[in-house]
Amino acid sequence: MTFDSPARKPAPGPGKTFRVKSFGCQMNVYDGERMAEMLEAGGYAAAAEGADADLVVLNTCHIREKAAEKVYSDIGRLKREDGSRPTIAVAGCVAQAEGAEIARRAPSVDVVVGPQAYHRLPDLIARAERGEKAIDLDMPLDSKFGALPKRAGGQRPTAFLTVQEGCDKFCTYCVVPYTRGAETSRPFADLIAEARALVAGGVREITLLGQNVNAWDGEDERGRAIGLDGLIRELAKEDGLERIRYTTSHPNDMTDGLIAAHGEVDELMPFLHLPVQAGSDRILAAMNRSHSVESYLRVIERVRAVRPDIAISGDFIVGFPGESEADFEATLAIVRATQYAMAYSFKYSRRPGTPAATMDGQVEEAVMNDRLQRLQALLNEQQQAFNERTVGRTTRLLLERRGKHDGQLIGKSPWLQSVHVTAPGLAIGDMVEVRITSAGPNSLGAELLMEEVA
Ligand code: 5AD
Ligand code: SF4
């Protein structure tokens, strides 16, 4: 689809600069990185921090209304003082959901590209250069991954690797099945190749990503059907890959093999993000979650049986249509029963086109605010308590970034906590042994015991 461009401006191209801004989930971060790599391969350079870019890609999130609306204010802010603006591409889930409407509402947008079509970004930008509005919302059967440049690792010791995309679960509040399409798993050989390229580039920890990552399936090199646990076991054999994580999982796809892997694979970190959303079976049924409170708690119990120290994380929605005070108290009860190390919680956001948007019993904003506050108070208490329980433990940190103070670095513990350590001579990418000495709600302190322990 094309529209006449209302305002011509200098077109970007090789030798020009770009910026990709990703919002929302980690898969968007991954997609944003792949887009950046592709633009670099096409001769663009990343714009320096704070400098104007010739091309800006807004990689958007549609999961809640606020996130989706943000894109329009972001577009407005791209106008420069002299009235000019960069070439603007809107990518991600808002692009998929709203399509041509974006270019109508925000005429300064040149390119609209969905999450399954971003491998065509250079071509779309070229069309924009010719003065077209270039819109591509295809969900092609041949995956974008094959058309992207090979990965080269990066400057960071950790990386995301998308192994699965899309969702067939159709929770009644959720736009993902519509914006990301049906569940598809990337082939085993491609994933091993991408992981090897990342490790060769210095990556020591890979987080496997998918909207339903534990629904991944494929065939290993001998043609045997394997699930995510099989993929994890194969990746664990890769020299230089020291840590493996995965997110986000659905309780119904926590297979026996995946649970067992948590007790058997040293490289698999003791962290499980397992959203439950609500603690009332009535609400879970209305959400079409297809699991119960009991089946969720049973999964947690089984994972803890093989890996007692595992950190459990979750997602919660308060104020789903029809949620009564008693239903909400059941959510507090499942939180108490689970004891989370961390969690994300949200007010229900009505998303047009989803079944829940037209359900009776939409909950008032004030009630949602009150419930969210109570839930978050409990979750924060649990997070602090979890962090305090790790004080005194000896553990390993993978150092990921510099802290505010001289000689301070911030690394991740196996339980995904941010831990500060100060010692001369440490570098990003080092794996060090530390003793945890203090715990706050969001970060911990540690003393160095041993440098570079890999
Ligand atoms: N309203 C509020 N939260 C939502 N999520 C998904 N859709 C909605 C919605 N319509 C939350 C769920 C999901 C997380 C990624 O976002 O908790 O697990
Ligand atoms: Fe959305 Fe439910 Fe699929 Fe998660 S499992 S992406 S919440 S539909």
Side-chain angles (χ1 to χ4, degrees), residues 62-311:
H62 197 243
I63 198 107
R64 282 168 291 274
E65 191 182 359
K66 269 210 186 112
E69 280 301 309
K70 194 175 176 309
V71 61
Y72 293 100
S73 52
D74 286 337
I75 292 167
R77 270 204 297 275
L78 289 175
K79 198 164 170 182
R80 302 183 186 119
E81 268 173 24
D82 65 1
S84 68
R85 59 179 173 83
T87 295
I88 302 172
V90 177
C93 291
V94 177
Q96 190 67 39
E98 296 188 8
E101 181 58 27
I102 297 175
R104 253 178 245 124
R105 234 179 110 176
S108 56
V109 169
D110 304 282
V111 174
V112 180
V113 59
Q116 306 306 352
Y118 67 73
H119 55 298
R120 302 187 189 135
L121 192 55
D123 178 48
L124 295 165
I125 295 166
R127 279 169 51 194
E129 279 176 29
R130 298 196 294 270
E132 289 180 24
K133 292 278 176 198
I135 300 186
D136 191 339
L137 307 174
D138 259 14
M139 294 201 184
L141 283 176
D142 54 324
S143 142
K144 66 195 169 218
F145 295 109
L148 293 169
K150 296 274 169 285
R151 303 208 78 183
Q155 273 80 55
R156 275 166 301 160
T158 64
F160 292 131
L161 172 51
T162 293
V163 304
Q164 180 279 339
E165 270 193 284
C167 184
D168 295 340
K169 304 281 191 291
F170 289 93
C171 297
T172 52
Y173 50 79
C174 187
V175 290
V176 166
Y178 313 98
T179 54
R180 290 272 172 175
E183 279 179 13
T184 49
S185 295
R186 292 181 64 193
F188 175 80
D190 294 5
L191 297 174
I192 297 288
E194 191 168 326
R196 282 186 184 151
L198 289 169
V199 172
V203 166
R204 303 176 83 170
E205 172 181 307
I206 290 182
T207 301
L208 307 176
L209 294 182
Q211 263 92 26
N212 267 300
V213 70
N214 55 346
W216 183 88
D217 60 7
E219 284 179 1
D220 67 9
E221 72 279 2
R222 283 194 266 166
R224 284 176 308 199
I226 55 169
L228 186 69
D229 55 310
L231 176 63
I232 288 170
R233 285 175 196 274
E234 286 302 317
L235 287 171
K237 293 180 192 160
E238 292 295 320
D239 274 349
L241 180 56
E242 290 154 69
R243 289 177 159 195
I244 302 170
R245 303 179 184 275
Y246 64 97
T247 197
T248 291
S249 297
H250 191 283
N252 285 3
D253 293 321
M254 287 304 297
T255 60
D256 294 348
L258 187 53
I259 293 173
H262 274 285
E264 293 165 7
V265 180
D266 289 342
E267 291 80 357
L268 183 56
M269 290 293 101
F271 187 95
L272 175 62
H273 182 61
L274 197 65
V276 67
Q277 313 295 356
S280 141
D281 281 336
R282 198 175 67 82
I283 295 297
L284 289 176
M287 288 177 161
N288 192 33
R289 287 290 295 173
S290 67
H291 62 78
S292 63
V293 168
E294 194 194 326
S295 68
Y296 178 85
L297 290 175
R298 176 84 187 115
V299 171
I300 300 290
E301 185 184 30
R302 291 180 59 210
V303 180
R304 284 203 165 124
V306 298
R307 187 74 210 226
D309 68 334
I310 196 160

Side-chain angles (χ1 to χ4, degrees), residues 17-21 39 45-58 78:
T17 59
F18 74 92
R19 174 168 294 118
V20 179
K21 285 180 75 179
L39 292 169
E49 191 82 27
D52 279 342
D54 300 306
L55 165 71
V56 174
V57 181
L58 298 174
L78 289 175

